[in-house]
């Protein structure tokens, strides 16, 4: 069967085979607000764990008076990294994740009531 030019153009522009991405591509190429909110929550959970692991040497240093677990400068770096990661890596993405994905319907439903 001989294909004409119009048939080739129609076959080329047939978008029925384009589906939504599946697997890891669904999360990498996400444009859905609920998926993006879920990604923010996962990032927040991972950073919460990292910040918690950084809290362990801080607590070890404060376990007993006079006990030197690490150098004072390293202790200061742990405290600074712990604080920054917990605020900007865990708390802020969690608030954004809940605002975008989880409670966006609730927030949008309450806004007209406030007027």
């Amino acid at each position: 069967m001989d294909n004409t030019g119009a048939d080739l153009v129609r076959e080329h522009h047939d978008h029925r085979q384009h589906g939504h991405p599946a697997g890891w591509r669904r999360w990498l190429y996400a444009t859905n607000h609920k998926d993006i909110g879920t990604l923010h929550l996962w990032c927040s959970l991972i950073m919460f764990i990292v910040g918690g692991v950084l809290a362990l040497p801080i607590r070890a240093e404060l376990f007993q008076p006079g006990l030197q677990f690490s150098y004072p400068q390293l202790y200061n770096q742990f405290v600074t990294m712990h604080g920054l990661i917990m605020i900007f890596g865990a708390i802020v993405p969690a608030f954004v994740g809940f605002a975008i994905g989880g409670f966006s319907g609730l927030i949008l439903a309450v806004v007209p009531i406030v007027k």
Side-chain angles (χ1 to χ4, degrees):
M1 182 187 259
D2 188 26
N3 288 335
T4 62
D7 290 334
L8 291 175
V9 168
R10 198 172 308 117
E11 288 177 12
H12 179 70
H13 289 93
D14 187 18
H15 294 288
R16 282 178 275 167
Q17 74 270 13
H18 299 300
H20 295 288
W24 62 270
R25 290 185 180 140
R26 173 185 174 201
W27 299 104
L28 185 64
Y29 302 128
T31 57
N32 183 5
H33 71 282
K34 292 178 184 176
D35 290 343
I36 294 171
T38 304
L39 287 172
H40 274 86
L41 292 176
W42 278 110
C43 176
S44 175
L45 177 69
I46 291 169
M47 288 296 124
F48 185 74
I49 292 170
V50 169
V53 168
L54 282 172
L56 294 175
I58 296 170
R59 298 305 302 166
E61 185 76 32
L62 299 173
F63 179 68
Q64 187 176 10
L67 179 67
Q68 287 293 316
F69 181 74
S70 62
Y71 297 111
Q73 185 177 2
L74 185 62
Y75 173 77
N76 291 338
Q77 291 173 355
F78 278 151
V79 170
T80 303
M81 287 189 302
H82 168 77
L84 288 173
I85 286 175
M86 292 302 275
I87 292 173
F88 296 111
I91 296 172
V92 172
F95 285 157
V96 171
F98 282 128
I100 291 175
F103 297 117
S104 62
L106 177 67
I107 292 170
L108 292 176
V110 172
V111 169
I113 297 172
V114 175
K115 287 184 179 181

